[in-house]
Amino acid sequence: MSRSGLNPDTALDVLLSAICGRNQYTKDPAPVIDELHQVAGDRLDILARVAGGWAGFYDSPHTAPLCNALLLIPGALECVALGRASREAGSHGAPLVRPVRGQALGPGSSRS
């Protein structure tokens, strides 16, 4: 368990994803790919999953240089669908609740 409380695989996934995010608009992805390989070490399975998932989720004309380079990482192409599925799922969260006309907003509230 790392200092963050995450298991080592999850912590590595988060770190690799952060490197991609920090460099998403790069025009020269070679140093980014080198950094990803250095950080991933022998965990090429996690690197492939992050690379493919990130490229699938964030693919756009603005991120194309990095996404194209990520897809050259062995195993990344098999993970693109996961990233695309996450992107297509949309955002989630608590639904917006609007008060019904004439009802109080909550304890201690008043309408003027």
Side-chain angles (χ1 to χ4, degrees):
M1 189 81 49
S2 67
R3 293 185 328 192
S4 67
L6 299 175
N7 73 51
D9 290 354
T10 302
L12 179 58
D13 186 300
V14 169
L15 180 55
L16 294 172
S17 297
I19 292 167
C20 291
R22 187 176 70 238
N23 294 284
Q24 63 185 318
Y25 301 117
T26 187
K27 301 286 188 231
D28 179 17
V32 181
I33 300 301
D34 290 343
E35 182 182 5
L36 290 168
H37 277 286
Q38 182 180 6
V39 170
D42 62 348
R43 293 308 310 265
L44 300 180
D45 57 326
I46 296 174
L47 175 59
R49 187 178 66 233
V50 169
W54 199 94
F57 191 93
Y58 291 102
D59 185 37
S60 80
H62 304 290
T63 60
L66 180 59
C67 289
N68 292 336
L70 290 171
L71 294 178
L72 296 175
I73 293 172
L77 282 173
E78 289 80 13
C79 300
V80 171
L82 296 172
R84 287 188 182 140
S86 294
R87 182 177 188 160
E88 291 168 3
S91 61
H92 53 81
L96 295 175
V97 178
R98 296 185 179 146
V100 177
R101 186 172 210 127
Q103 287 185 343
L105 297 174
S109 66
S110 62
R111 293 183 183 218
S112 301

